Amino acid sequence: MLTLFHHPMSSASRYIRLLLSEYGVATQLIVEYEWQKRYKFRTVNLAGTIPVLLEGKTPICGASVICEYLDETRGAYKTQSYFFPPNPLGRAEVRRLCEWFLIKLENEIIRHLVRERIYKQEMPKSQGGGAPDSSILRTALSNIQPHMQYLNWLAANRDWLGGSSLSYADFAASATVSILDYMGEIEWTSYPMAHDWYARLKSRPSFRSILADRIRVMAPIAHYADLDF
């Protein structure tokens, strides 16, 4: 059985969990708090970052690396699930969008909201815990609208985000957006095409464990697990 070091409010971790579920791979999940800087975890991944997938005793670190590994070992050749387009330009577009959501959106919004609203409530003061920084929150929240407008445009102009078929881009985007939705930070009526796209993703069996996520310091918005939100 594979082992995944993750955190429920890590978009990269959610992305990998979705892929593992899509491929039907039994996985042991271990919650890891990056801010704790555990020595034993750093022996697995010196960078101290999540997600980390263990195949036996071998660590595979980082969402994009794990994705490529799963695609090669559990993907199309094993399950007939083609989440990369057949042509190089199509694959390049999917990879671009994965980077957009897992890196750009993450760095501009998610990591700040999660740290200020969640991690700081779990961390001791000696490690930076305490009240959220309102200026950081304002900046992060102001970045939501342009990202959601872009997502809405993609959903309005393509069958799926990366093109004509479901791809890794959809899983990367939905993993990230699901955290914003958990926090109640998306006004879905303003983004109807993104709403319809996300509803399709939420309805997939692979999303069930994501929708079941709960964290002690913050309850999700009421419609979070509702497929007809």
Side-chain angles (χ1 to χ4, degrees), residues 16 87 111 125 130 137 205:
I16 298 305
N87 61 85
R111 73 182 184 92
K125 287 187 176 181
L137 287 176

Side-chain angles (χ1 to χ4, degrees), residues 6-31:
H6 79 111
H7 188 279
M9 300 303 281
S10 157
S11 51
S13 297
R14 287 185 169 210
Y15 173 52
I16 298 305
R17 287 169 58 198
L18 286 172
L19 300 187
L20 289 165
S21 183
E22 286 286 334
Y23 289 140
V25 181
T27 308
Q28 177 188 16
L29 299 178
I30 298 177
V31 175

Side-chain angles (χ1 to χ4, degrees), residues 8 16 31 36 43 52 94 108-109 113 116 120 144 154 166 176 180 183 188-189 210 219 223:
I16 298 305
V31 175
Q36 290 182 339
T43 64
V52 176
V94 166
E108 293 182 0
I109 304 172
L113 296 183
E116 297 301 318
K120 277 190 171 182
I144 292 176
L154 288 169
L166 180 69
T176 307
L180 290 176
M183 294 181 175
W188 287 109
T189 56
I210 301 295
H223 71 243

Side-chain angles (χ1 to χ4, degrees), residues 187-205:
E187 181 54 62
W188 287 109
T189 56
S190 300
Y191 314 104
M193 300 308 295
H195 171 278
D196 293 348
W197 162 83
Y198 186 54
R200 284 189 285 166
L201 268 295
K202 282 179 73 172
S203 297
R204 296 183 70 82

Side-chain angles (χ1 to χ4, degrees), residues 27-195:
T27 308
Q28 177 188 16
L29 299 178
I30 298 177
V31 175
E32 187 65 38
Y33 301 90
E34 290 178 320
W35 52 266
Q36 290 182 339
K37 300 180 180 180
R38 287 194 312 123
Y39 172 77
K40 286 187 176 180
F41 179 61
R42 291 200 170 229
T43 64
V44 176
N45 178 20
L46 184 60
T49 56
I50 53 175
V52 176
L53 186 71
L54 283 184
E55 177 79 84
K57 294 183 179 181
T58 303
I60 303 133
C61 307
S64 62
V65 178
I66 297 171
C67 170
E68 298 278 350
Y69 178 77
L70 291 175
D71 187 73
E72 292 176 2
T73 60
R74 271 84 173 178
Y77 295 113
K78 298 285 186 180
T79 65
Q80 299 301 305
S81 296
Y82 294 88
F83 295 139
F84 268 135
N87 61 85
L89 287 177
R91 292 193 293 275
E93 174 64 358
V94 166
R95 289 186 174 101
R96 180 189 74 84
L97 289 172
C98 287
E99 183 171 303
W100 180 282
F101 289 101
L102 295 175
I103 297 179
K104 183 175 174 62
L105 192 153
E106 170 74 17
N107 287 338
E108 293 182 0
I109 304 172
I110 299 295
R111 73 182 184 92
H112 302 294
L113 296 183
V114 170
R115 178 177 175 82
E116 297 301 318
R117 289 181 172 174
I118 297 170
Y119 284 174
K120 277 190 171 182
Q121 295 188 57
E122 301 172 328
M123 300 163 67
K125 287 187 176 181
S126 61
Q127 291 182 284
D133 186 318
S134 59
S135 64
I136 292 176
L137 287 176
R138 280 196 301 272
T139 300
L141 292 171
S142 70
N143 288 327
I144 292 176
Q145 183 177 354
H147 277 282
M148 287 303 301
Q149 288 174 335
Y150 181 49
L151 177 61
N152 197 67
W153 181 88
L154 288 169
N157 287 277
R158 299 175 177 181
D159 296 331
W160 295 94
L161 298 191
S164 60
S165 61
L166 180 69
S167 73
Y168 290 117
D170 296 286
F171 295 117
S174 60
T176 307
V177 167
S178 67
I179 294 179
L180 290 176
D181 191 45
Y182 184 102
M183 294 181 175
E185 292 298 347
I186 300 177
E187 181 54 62
W188 287 109
T189 56
S190 300
Y191 314 104
M193 300 308 295
H195 171 278

